[in-house]
Amino acid sequence: MYDFGEATIKMSISTHDSFATATLGFAANSAGNGIAYVALSETEDRNETLVRIAFRCRPLPALRGRDIAYAAAQAVATHLVCRGLRAVALVFDDVSLARDLVEHAPVPPALTIPYVQLRCTLNRFARVNFHAIGNPSTRDLGSRARAEVALAVAA
């Protein structure tokens, strides 16, 4: 709200100001075709919505899956921004990704561009938290993604 003497102007933004929790599991095949499953829970309705997000990356075996984690996180964050969410908690079971994001740790040169891209997307949120938890939800979503990726390769 802005106060200009006698005139008061109220401004509203059509975004969700509530805090949402996005629990994700992901996988990609050797060609870089990936799937991320997200259990999205917004605090106001407490219902979980399952979202399937496809993504692509250039997997590099030397990175041991970190590049896949970055691509999945980028796809999920972009999806959440497009939904109009302003505050999110990202819950996943990748400790390296959480460390990189929380500690602003140096990343291998091959991850520099994905790191910067992900950071730029995450900066669009008013508030974002990261949790690396190997709980049943993240394991279940990861298993679902791995199964779908494996089935796509077999087909």
Side-chain angles (χ1 to χ4, degrees), residues 47-96:
N47 293 327
E48 271 193 355
T49 303
L50 184 63
V51 180
R52 178 189 177 277
I53 302 168
F55 65 91
R56 288 201 39 81
C57 64
R58 194 180 97 222
L60 301 171
L63 294 175
R64 290 182 249 146
R66 285 178 75 185
D67 47 348
I68 296 169
Y70 272 85
Q74 175 66 37
V76 170
T78 300
H79 176 82
L80 298 176
V81 165
C82 289
R83 282 181 81 117
L85 295 173
R86 302 273 303 136
V88 296
L90 296 175
V91 180
F92 41 81
D93 65 357
D94 190 298
V95 177
S96 297

Side-chain angles (χ1 to χ4, degrees), residues 26-28 35 37 139-155:
F26 52 86
I35 301 293
Y37 278 102
R139 285 192 294 272
D140 178 52
L141 293 168
S143 294
R144 181 182 287 216
R146 283 188 297 279
E148 184 170 340
V149 166
L151 288 172
V153 170

Side-chain angles (χ1 to χ4, degrees), residues 110-130:
L111 287 178
T112 301
I113 298 298
Y115 176 83
V116 170
Q117 289 173 327
L118 179 56
R119 273 275 164 215
C120 288
T121 302
L122 294 174
N123 285 338
R124 296 177 67 187
F125 294 109
R127 186 174 66 163
V128 62
N129 296 333
F130 311 99

Side-chain angles (χ1 to χ4, degrees), residues 11-56:
M11 298 184 73
S12 65
I13 301 171
S14 63
T15 57
H16 304 286
D17 288 331
S18 64
F19 197 77
T21 300
T23 303
L24 58 138
F26 52 86
N29 62 20
S30 59
N33 300 312
I35 301 293
Y37 278 102
V38 182
L40 184 60
S41 174
E42 295 184 53
T43 55
E44 60 213 19
D45 61 12
R46 300 200 192 277
N47 293 327
E48 271 193 355
T49 303
L50 184 63
V51 180
R52 178 189 177 277
I53 302 168
F55 65 91
R56 288 201 39 81

